Amino acid sequence: MNRFKTSKFKNTTPKIAKKDGWINNVRAGSFSSQGNHIQASSKFVVFNTEQAGGGMLGLSSVKPASDGQWTLTQISCHSDLVTDMDFSPFDESLLVTCSSDETVKLWRLCDPELQQPSSPELTLHPGHGRLELVRFHPTSSGLLAVGANKSPLIWDTSRQDTPLAVLEQHSDQLQSLSWKQDGSLLATSCKDKMLRVFDPRAQLTPVQSAKSLENNKDSRILWVKDDRLLTTGFDMMRSREVRLWDSRKLSSSVSSVTLGTSSGSVIPLFDEDTGLLILAGTGDSAVDCFEVSSSEPFLSQVSHCLTDASTRGVAMVPKLALDVMSCEVMRVLQLTDGCIVPISYQVPRKHSGQEFHDDLYPDTVGTTPAMSAEEWWQGGNKQVEKVSLHPDKKPKLKASPTKETPAKKNLASGGSKEDPARGLSTSSSPLSTPSSSAAPSRSPSTTSGLSSGFLPSPSPSQSAKAIQNMLGPSSKFRHIQGAVMHRDTHITNVQGLNLTTPGECDGFCVNGERVAVPLAISGGQIAVFERSQPGKLPNTALPTIQNSVNVVDLSWDPFDTHRLAVAGDDAKIRVWQVPEGGLTEMLTEPDLILQGHTEKIYSIKFHPLASGLLVSSSYDLTVRLWNLESGDQVDHLTGHEDQIFSMAWSPDGKLLATVCKDGKVRIYDPRKSTAPVQEGPGPEGHRGARVVWVCEGKYLLVSGFDSRSERGLYLYSTDSLSSGAIATTSLDVSPSTLIPFYDPDTSVVILTGKGDTRVHIYEVVPENPYFMECSCFNSPGPHKGLGFLPKTECNVRDVEIAVGLMLTKTTIEPVAFRVPRVKKEFFQDDLFPDTAVCWGPALSASAWLSGINGKHKKMSLKPKDMTPVSEAPKEAPVRKYLPSSVYLEEKTDEQKKDELLSAMVAKLGNMDEPLPQESFEGVDEDEWAKYLAQIIVMGAQVVGRAFARALQQEYAASQAAAKARGRSGQQSAAASSITGMSLQEAQQILNISTLSPEEIQKNYEHLFKVNDKSVGGSFYLQSKVVRAKERLDEELSIQTQDKQQSEKNTET
């Protein structure tokens, strides 16, 4: 293979489906087994789930239903973990599973909307301990390869009592096995670092074996093209690597690629038709695509795809289910903790979607088995007949098996388990297909069809409905953009930050005028910075608040920008008054000390409506209410059984919600009872949680952790807290608790954790889908906290819906969250409704305690000089682009030159028209000034026309000169066109002044050698050198031919 020859798949592009094209709520399990954890046929997808200890599989369809939605169901397969699974290559509904319960079972699946079978069609009991792997034979029906703990087994399902062969026992755990594409050989990889190739029909011992792997950690093996094997595993330095082997010589690899260091194993998937290889590491959020070639370079990377979530497993969709009209050459399904993400690999083509590109789609293996298991065992080597992927030549659909019993919408996690005493099924082999020569024909009711991709086109009404469901509800904030404001607004050189504040603390607190930051200095010191005085802080010591004990939480009074409440680890709350203009000296004496808790305090919160009302939670498992006007404790709430993670007041100030480590979410009405009025289950994880009221106080939003320590959001109805979360969504894995900020005007919640770099943004709506994800914001580095300012700090002219302050290790930086809009000159009244005046109290603490309820006034954020966008005048639609035919029309070089010349002449004027001065007959003196201006204009026109004539003459002369060059000139121009390089450019590249063959060869050899990749050069530079030499050699050949022709003409 020429090193400069390009592959037609080199530009293959991965396209991750939009989130409404994902299969959600899958709850994938994280179990230790050698399988891929997910498999797909042309119609179905099955995957490991966490239900029943891993004994259940999740089931869905490859394509959504006519309403654009996926139906998820579950199959109770085994009494222990399902370790591996595989679909029959000849029957898209036939699934084989193996398990830790030492059995192999075959299942005939139905559509996910229907009731799935409660018992398998066949059960095998190999009796070799835990089973790890199972694979269908690629050419024969009814044949399986089963990987026990140390022994590969070959099994004919029509002979259910004993296997056809028990291959030589490995010295350690079997890690992977793979059939060769023609079905003749079986390859295995083992924990003993050995690679083995078996010919089961010839001998039970391997025909080839070698200790080839460098590390005994999880490895995978796969047959690829040209009798080569591909393995993934780890090298001696525990770096993940991919190696290519010649199956006839396993002592040394043909090629290798290192993928970096990570603990997860690499799952390989190979497409024989295209030679494309998919590599996905478990626990990674990236999927790599390589092309496997028959010669150097054997492995070349095609793409690197970054996904939103880490990988649990991957599977490849069969070729017959691909959208060939969109140039889709491969489709991969990525299994994550909460969803299945389709990744489509497409080759960019000019007429994609309109034409079938047969060069991308050679005939692929069909769905008719070449022979039976018995025929194969007797020495048969027939191959599966290939079929075309052309839409007009695809195989016809067969009827899909159905059952009349409708499936339940939400299946229970339990299910009937196989009774070992029941023994084996007495039916004939379910692996024999209707097309098999050794099998009797089946009725259409028991025959499975091909891919749902062959269904006839839907009606227009169905198409419209499918498009509508595919798009789904979308948030008008989905394109929100976060941006750090100009450096002039930053407070820099912040020194001595306390980075070890408790998880219940936000890390710092802000209001419209100042920022309070705890310092890592003895005595619990707190720095207060004025927002009106940005810039670099001096290196000298600054005046601070001397809290005397370590700070566990702090909060500004929402109605007094000078009052700061600080909770200490001595169970006391100190209230400080910051003087006007900021701190000028040390503050050592608080205005008020609140004492009543018996143990360290968790967190404190001011009341949103009543002035001077504060609530606190403590290690003594109580919540206490304080009246700052009198300095007294006014209430004492009980009922918590463990650490109180977070508290939140309802928007109307009547209720208080808490989330606790005991796994409960509670709602209190402090003025009526000290016990909770409602209680419900909270997040399963115990690492931390936060709670906030959303959707006008009708729902509670809790950010916490699930049982796998993955961060997520949980939405509860405040009317039925005991029924649990009505909606959940998983985000990522990180140790820090997500701190939510909720904007009641837009219903947007912004979340981030201390030490994170990503800020998640969602719009919360009171109906399905509840959470609508928006664009996230990524900070340049890890931040220590994010606090938000009042709504009046937003610049509505720039469509800022929220402004926050981001605390980093040494700076405080303002961050604006803006929504892109076209008509920014108008006030976006759909984004900025009247906002509550939350910086002013609605009532006093004593009034609230007496039972009076208040409500904030509202104000408009619209500037006086702006018009609401709802009142903007309607504009007629304007066509922005010319029709596609204008761009697609092909023109010759001569046509383009003529058009260019005509356009220039048209701009300069018409040469055939008489000049204006020819009609002059004389003027009066008082009109001289007017005609003087006309003379100047006419002079310019005369010069322009003269220039146009000169330009045309020059063009004609150049054409004549080109013709005068004769045959050699035409050949030289043709050579430049073919090679894509002019003679002058080629001479410059090889540093040649005169065309001497010796000098050309000398300079070529030197430049090609110094640009070799092994000495720091590149293939690109070498290719330029090669093309330059080809162009100069062509020019020498032209000159030689021209010289010979001249001599011949002279002789005659």
Side-chain angles (χ1 to χ4, degrees), residues 23 109 223 871 952:
I23 305 175
L109 306 180
W223 285 93
E871 301 176 9
Q952 284 186 328

Side-chain angles (χ1 to χ4, degrees), residues 529-562:
F529 305 116
E530 299 294 312
R531 288 193 57 235
S532 60
Q533 301 172 13
K536 184 177 180 180
L537 297 175
N539 292 323
T540 57
L542 297 172
T544 59
I545 295 176
Q546 300 282 346
N547 195 59
S548 72
V549 295
N550 291 333
V551 177
V552 295
D553 198 13
L554 68 171
S555 179
W556 288 107
D557 189 330
F559 313 123
D560 185 351
T561 58
H562 298 276

Side-chain angles (χ1 to χ4, degrees), residues 579-590:
E580 189 70 36
L583 293 179
T584 56
E585 59 182 4
M586 294 288 184
L587 279 185
T588 57
E589 292 296 330

Side-chain angles (χ1 to χ4, degrees), residues 328-344:
E328 182 184 35
V329 295
M330 189 166 53
R331 189 188 309 162
V332 173
L333 301 179
Q334 180 204 23
L335 176 67
T336 68
D337 288 333
C339 57
I340 296 174
V341 182
I343 305 175
S344 174

Side-chain angles (χ1 to χ4, degrees), residues 493-510:
N493 198 33
V494 179
Q495 300 179 4
L497 289 180
N498 183 3
L499 304 179
T500 59
T501 52
E504 293 77 26
C505 175
D506 292 351
F508 76 126
C509 62
V510 304

Side-chain angles (χ1 to χ4, degrees), residues 45-46 49 54-60 73-78 82 95 97 107-110 116-119 411-416:
V45 182
V46 292
T49 67
M56 299 187 73
L57 292 180
L59 170 67
S60 187
T73 187
Q74 293 171 337
I75 316 168
S76 181
C77 294
H78 292 268
V82 178
L95 175 74
T97 60
W107 307 84
R108 184 161 298 280
L109 306 180
C110 307
Q116 298 301 316
S118 59
S119 59
L411 291 179
S413 60
S416 60

